[in-house]
């Protein structure tokens, strides 16, 4: 099949070799009668092979809807209304996830792209043992016997550093702690060796120590298996730990994508700059005389996805905004070859 | 609390759990006894249920005829336990049919938004009719026979199960682990059976026990009204219907089959209640 060669002629928009997933102007709207919530309205982002792209943004910025769109798991009335989701299969072929048939999509879920969620406590079926659930997953995608599947399941538990895997295989989710369950979820997600793992706030529900362990584990697994990760979070501390690149989302759009160091060193979007200024820092926030300084919140609030402004969505809160910003939505501009920003005035930053 | 014995991590045995619940144990004991009597009727019954003996007609209960005799001199005890076969069969078969139809409709309605509107309206419409009236209409339409009684009762009680299943499916469908299963590529039918249906076993079991009781009661009602199985076949309903004319002279003809119905329905209700307690972890005391 022509699809199996990386630069197939029948696909004029074939991805560059090192790109696993590229969302181009993705639009996911929730149409409720006459009202339309534009939760994702023009997301463009790129996940590179073997790298982690962190998607950050506040609640309602569209980061979870973006990941659900990629998995095509949107619930009614959400729908992808525009844009493309180009994905490179493991055999090298490129598909557009936005228009793929449900049947082919199902074969991609779990095998090509797997996803883990925020709630490890409730993401496992309480009625089946952990081993059963991992084996179900493996046998859905690969024609192997129960016995072989069990050996694989055991190996997966070892891989995610669960002690006494033989015993754990026969335990039910309620017999495990939150951290253990998130490890099981990771084992489940990686059981069929996916090329891309989407992690939707996988550490948010865990305490800080366990969070660090899970992040370590994900980093190690990425090194060993070579998978790409799309890591959705609102925690910039976690981003600094795990990401190679960062995409910052605001009101349904990616407003900035850059390598992690560039982004932290020199944000080229006023929203990112505002976010970074919000992070409390024990040293920095204490003045010379020992009194505490106030936090630096961004004034105003996120516009409703039901009524987005005509121009730049951030303009009403932006210290740099001028008339042009409020009428014309900014394109994704190159601040440097690897640094994209959706700000007309990024040169001032 | 002292560590005299090694801490037991075994889950308690099912038999222990059942015996701890008096209503469940009593209900099960009665229903098992009735079932045994009915199934073993050919061995237990002192007379053939259809053996006529005009000389001995309308004899009161005695050591010869435990429950007396009817207007044709047939032994009411033998007839009552033989009738149990049919009454239990109708109850069980109608419940099985109601469960099959109800679970399927409930899952479909709970899972597929588009089907939900249609299925739910049909369920509402069917539940708007009184049970017996709908059953009579169905039997009248299909022609009275054992099979049509079972079909009619199965259809009449299917909506009750469908509602329970639909409501629970709507809840479970949105649980994170169902979404997680989807995200890992589990196909919809497998999510329906393995992840949703498996979770519904206890409400279904409880509801099915009640439907068993209702169906038996309704069968007796249909037979009593003469729209059920043919009057020659002994069921508790036909026996009561026949005894009605003699209720002044020979009340044993109605009392004993009536008592059989009461006992069976009561025991099934006890089992249903007991199961609900047993299967609802919030009501379990042993944990």
């Amino acid at each position: 099949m022509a699809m199996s060669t990386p630069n197939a002629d029948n696909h004029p928009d074939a991805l560059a070799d090192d790109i696993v997933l590229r969302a181009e102007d993705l639009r996911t709207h929730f149409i409720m009668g006459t009202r339309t919530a534009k939760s994702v309205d023009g997301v463009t982002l790129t996940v590179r092979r073997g790298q982690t792209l962190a998607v950050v943004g506040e609640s309602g910025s569209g980061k979870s809807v973006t990941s659900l769109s990629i998995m095509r798991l949107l619930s009614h009335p959400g729908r992808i209304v525009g844009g493309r989701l180009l994905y490179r299969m493991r055999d090298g072929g490129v598909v557009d996830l936005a228009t793929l048939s449900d049947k082919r999509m199902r074969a991609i879920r779990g095998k090509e792209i797997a996803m883990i969620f925020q709630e490890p406590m409730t993401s496992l079926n309480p009625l089946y043992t952990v081993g059963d659930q991992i084996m179900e997953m493996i046998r859905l995608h690969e024609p192997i016997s129960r016995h072989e599947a069990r050996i694989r399941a055991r190996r997966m538990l070892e891989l995610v550093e669960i002690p006494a895997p033989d015993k754990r295989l026969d335990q039910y989710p309620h017999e495990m702690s939150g951290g253990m369950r998130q490890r099981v979820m990771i084992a489940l997600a990686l059981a069929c060796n996916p090329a891309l793992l989407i992690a939707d706030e996988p550490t948010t529900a865990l305490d800080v120590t366990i969070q660090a362990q899970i992040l370590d584990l994900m980093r190690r697994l990425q090194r060993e298996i070579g998978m790409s990760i799309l890591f959705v979070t609102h925690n910039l501390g976690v981003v600094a730990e795990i990401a190679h690149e960062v995409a910052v989302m605001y009101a349904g759009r990616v407003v900035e994508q850059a390598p992690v160091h560039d982004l932290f060193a020199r944000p080229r979007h006023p929203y990112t700059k505002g976010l970074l200024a919000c992070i409390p820092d024990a040293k920095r926030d204490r003045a010379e005389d020992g009194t505490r300084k106030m936090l630096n919140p961004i004034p105003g609030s996120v516009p409703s996805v039901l009524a987005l402004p005509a121009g730049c969505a951030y303009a009403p809160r932006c210290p740099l905004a001028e008339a042009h910003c409020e009428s014309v939505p900014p394109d994704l501009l190159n601040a440097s070859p690897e640094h994209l920003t959706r700000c007309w005035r990024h040169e001032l930053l | 609390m002292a560590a005299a014995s090694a801490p037991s991590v075994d889950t308690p045995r099912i038999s222990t759990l059942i015996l701890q619940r008096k209503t469940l144990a009593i209900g099960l004991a009665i229903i098992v006894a009735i079932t045994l009597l009915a199934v073993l009727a050919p061995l237990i019954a002192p007379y053939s249920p259809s053996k006529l003996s005009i000389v001995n007609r309308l004899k009161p209960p005695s050591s010869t005829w435990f429950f007396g005799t009817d207007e044709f001199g047939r032994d009411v005890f033998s007839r009552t336990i033989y009738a149990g076969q049919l009454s239990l069969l109708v109850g069980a078969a109608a419940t099985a049919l109601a469960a099959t139809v109800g679970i399927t409709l409930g899952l479909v309605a709970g899972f597929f938004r588009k089907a939900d509107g249609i299925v739910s309206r049909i369920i509402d419409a069917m539940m708007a009719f009184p049970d017996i009236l709908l059953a009579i209409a169905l039997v009248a339409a299909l022609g009275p026979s054992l099979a049509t009684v079972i079909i009619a009762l199965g259809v009449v009680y299917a909506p009750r199960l469908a509602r329970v299943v639909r409501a629970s499916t709507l809840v479970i469908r949105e649980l994170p682990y169902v979404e997680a299963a989807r995200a890992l590529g589990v196909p919809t039918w497998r999510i329906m059976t393995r992840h949703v249906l498996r979770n519904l076993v206890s409400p279904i079991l409880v509801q099915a026990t009640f439907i068993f009781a209702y169906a038996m009661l309704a069968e007796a009602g249909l037979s009593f009204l003469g729209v059920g199985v043919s009057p020659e076949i002994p069921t508790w309903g036909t026996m009561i219907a026949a005894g009605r004319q003699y209720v002044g002279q020979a009340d044993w003809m109605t009392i004993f089959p009536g008592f059989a119905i009461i006992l069976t329905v009561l025991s099934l209700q006890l089992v249903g209640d007991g199961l609900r307690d047993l299967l609802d972890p919030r009501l379990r005391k042993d944990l």
Side-chain angles (χ1 to χ4, degrees):
Chain A
M1 291 216 301
M3 279 297 226
S4 60
T5 54
N7 292 314
D9 294 335
N10 61 349
H11 218 299
D13 310 287
L15 295 173
D17 275 349
D18 67 329
I19 294 176
V20 172
L21 176 83
R22 182 169 168 77
E24 286 175 357
D25 199 30
L26 175 72
R27 289 166 198 275
T28 301
H29 294 178
F30 288 74
I31 299 158
M32 301 160 289
T34 54
R35 299 188 309 159
T36 299
K38 298 178 177 174
S39 299
V40 168
D41 198 38
V43 161
T44 299
L45 51 77
T46 307
V47 186
R48 281 174 230 284
R49 184 184 305 280
Q51 298 217 338
T52 300
L53 172 72
V55 177
V56 284
E58 41 197 307
S59 305
S61 59
K63 42 191 205 305
S64 285
V65 175
T66 301
S67 50
L68 290 175
S69 302
I70 296 169
M71 294 302 282
R72 290 265 303 275
L73 285 172
L74 295 159
S75 51
H76 186 84
R79 224 169 36 152
I80 298 176
V81 296
R84 296 194 301 176
L85 285 166
L86 299 178
Y87 171 74
R88 178 183 303 285
M89 310 266 282
R90 281 190 294 192
D91 66 6
V94 174
V95 291
D96 180 2
L97 301 177
T99 55
L100 217 55
S101 74
D102 285 347
K103 194 174 165 219
R104 286 192 66 192
M105 197 59 221
R106 202 157 51 232
I108 282 183
R109 284 185 209 127
K111 193 156 174 64
E112 292 275 349
I113 309 176
M115 184 162 181
I116 54 177
F117 293 87
Q118 185 175 356
E119 294 293 337
M121 304 308 276
T122 49
S123 289
L124 291 164
N125 191 327
L127 298 175
Y128 296 96
T129 61
V130 160
D132 259 351
Q133 299 189 48
I134 302 178
M135 283 155 65
E136 176 192 22
M137 163 72 192
I138 297 172
R139 297 189 66 203
L140 262 174
H141 293 286
E142 287 168 40
I144 61 175
S145 71
R146 272 190 72 80
H147 181 69
E148 287 171 295
R150 192 177 161 92
I151 294 172
R152 263 275 278 295
R154 187 184 180 283
R155 215 170 54 227
M156 290 317 297
L157 291 190
E158 270 174 359
L159 190 68
V160 296
E161 296 163 12
I162 288 181
D166 284 307
K167 188 176 137 220
R168 291 295 188 181
L169 274 181
D170 293 318
Q171 286 191 332
Y172 289 89
H174 74 264
E175 297 174 82
M176 299 189 174
S177 66
M180 275 300 167
R181 288 190 217 181
Q182 195 59 289
R183 283 171 196 267
V184 171
M185 279 310 296
I186 293 173
L188 202 53
L190 300 187
C192 286
N193 215 355
L196 173 63
L197 176 70
I198 299 178
D200 191 348
E201 309 211 23
T203 57
T204 307
L206 305 172
D207 69 59
V208 182
T209 325
I210 307 298
Q211 186 171 322
Q213 289 175 6
I214 297 284
L215 291 178
D216 272 346
L217 174 70
M218 290 180 70
R219 262 199 310 256
R220 202 202 81 212
L221 291 173
Q222 178 171 49
R223 255 196 333 268
E224 288 173 11
I225 304 172
M227 64 180 168
S228 312
I229 301 178
L230 183 84
F231 196 103
V232 175
T233 182
H234 59 245
N235 186 334
L236 285 167
V238 170
V239 170
E241 290 255 333
I242 196 160
H244 298 96
E245 280 198 76
V246 188
V248 180
M249 284 194 70
Y250 185 77
R253 287 191 170 176
V254 172
V255 292
E256 185 167 11
Q257 174 165 358
V260 65
H261 293 294
D262 294 4
L263 188 108
F264 278 88
R266 192 181 172 195
R268 303 302 293 267
H269 193 283
Y271 175 63
T272 315
K273 197 174 177 190
L275 275 187
L276 292 171
C278 287
I279 303 176
D281 180 325
K283 285 192 203 117
R284 190 191 65 198
D285 289 349
R286 211 171 273 278
E288 300 280 296
D289 58 357
T291 55
R292 283 186 196 182
K293 286 200 240 165
M294 301 294 278
L295 291 173
N296 294 309
I298 302 174
S301 58
V302 187
S304 162
V305 289
L306 291 166
L308 291 173
C312 171
Y314 189 63
R317 304 169 74 182
C318 181
L320 302 176
E322 52 179 16
H324 181 62
C325 297
E326 289 178 13
S327 52
V328 186
D331 299 326
L332 207 51
L333 307 168
N334 274 83
S336 74
E338 293 186 312
H339 200 138
L340 297 168
T341 176
R342 240 182 233 281
C343 179
W344 292 123
R345 314 196 71 201
H346 65 87
E347 260 143 43
L348 296 174
L349 287 162
Chain B
M1 275 295 144
S5 60
S8 162
V9 288
D10 292 337
T11 46
R13 296 168 62 139
I14 297 240
S15 53
T16 323
L17 286 176
I18 289 173
L19 287 175
Q20 278 170 355
R21 283 161 190 79
K22 281 206 190 78
T23 54
L24 183 57
I26 294 170
L28 270 179
I30 299 175
I31 194 71
V32 167
I34 291 173
T35 311
L36 281 179
L37 273 176
V39 171
L40 302 177
L43 303 175
I44 296 167
Y47 305 96
S48 156
S50 48
K51 186 181 160 240
L52 309 181
S53 171
I54 301 301
V55 202
N56 295 321
R57 66 193 297 263
L58 301 176
K59 287 277 197 272
S62 68
S63 57
T64 326
W65 303 283
F66 304 136
F67 291 177
T69 62
D70 66 6
E71 78 272 30
F72 299 117
R74 296 176 295 196
D75 180 38
V76 174
F77 176 70
S78 303
R79 284 179 73 75
T80 305
I81 57 176
Y82 267 100
Q85 290 183 341
L86 213 76
S87 297
L88 290 172
L89 173 72
V90 170
T95 308
L97 182 65
T100 315
V101 176
I103 291 170
T104 312
L105 285 180
L107 273 181
V108 167
F111 242 92
F112 304 108
R113 230 165 255 279
K114 282 178 188 149
D116 188 24
I118 303 165
V119 174
S120 290
R121 291 299 83 72
I122 294 174
I123 290 173
D124 288 345
M126 286 179 64
M127 289 191 75
F129 290 100
D131 299 348
I132 286 281
L133 208 60
L134 188 56
I136 290 174
L138 284 169
V139 172
L142 299 169
S145 78
L146 184 61
T148 53
V149 170
I150 291 171
I151 292 171
L153 293 177
V155 170
V156 167
Y157 291 110
R160 286 170 190 265
L161 257 173
R163 264 208 183 162
V164 172
V165 172
R166 172 183 172 270
S168 311
T169 303
L170 285 176
V171 175
I172 294 169
R173 188 183 68 175
E174 302 299 331
L175 290 181
Y177 67 79
V178 172
E179 189 177 28
R182 260 184 217 288
L184 297 174
V186 182
T188 304
W189 64 268
R190 214 179 148 82
I191 289 180
M192 284 167 85
T193 52
R194 200 175 141 89
H195 295 273
V196 177
L197 197 55
R198 175 70 191 270
N199 253 299
L200 296 180
V201 168
S202 55
I204 288 173
L205 210 58
V206 171
Q207 199 63 31
T209 320
F210 291 128
I211 287 179
F212 198 149
Y214 296 140
M216 285 197 39
L217 211 52
E219 181 274 322
L222 288 179
S223 300
F224 179 78
L225 294 171
V227 289
V229 297
S230 105
E232 291 90 67
I233 304 173
T235 75
W236 292 329
T238 54
M239 287 175 71
I240 294 173
R244 189 171 53 104
Q245 299 165 36
Y246 302 93
V247 82
Q249 309 148 260
D251 51 14
W252 54 86
M253 279 179 67
T254 46
I255 287 176
F256 289 107
F259 192 64
I261 295 175
I262 293 171
L263 206 58
T264 313
V265 171
L266 178 70
S267 64
L268 284 170
Q269 297 279 356
L270 289 178
V271 172
D273 272 342
L275 276 181
R276 180 156 50 200
D277 293 354
L278 180 70
L279 296 173
D280 186 342
R282 277 164 305 177
L283 299 175
R284 273 172 75 157
K285 293 176 202 139
D286 52 74
L287 288 177

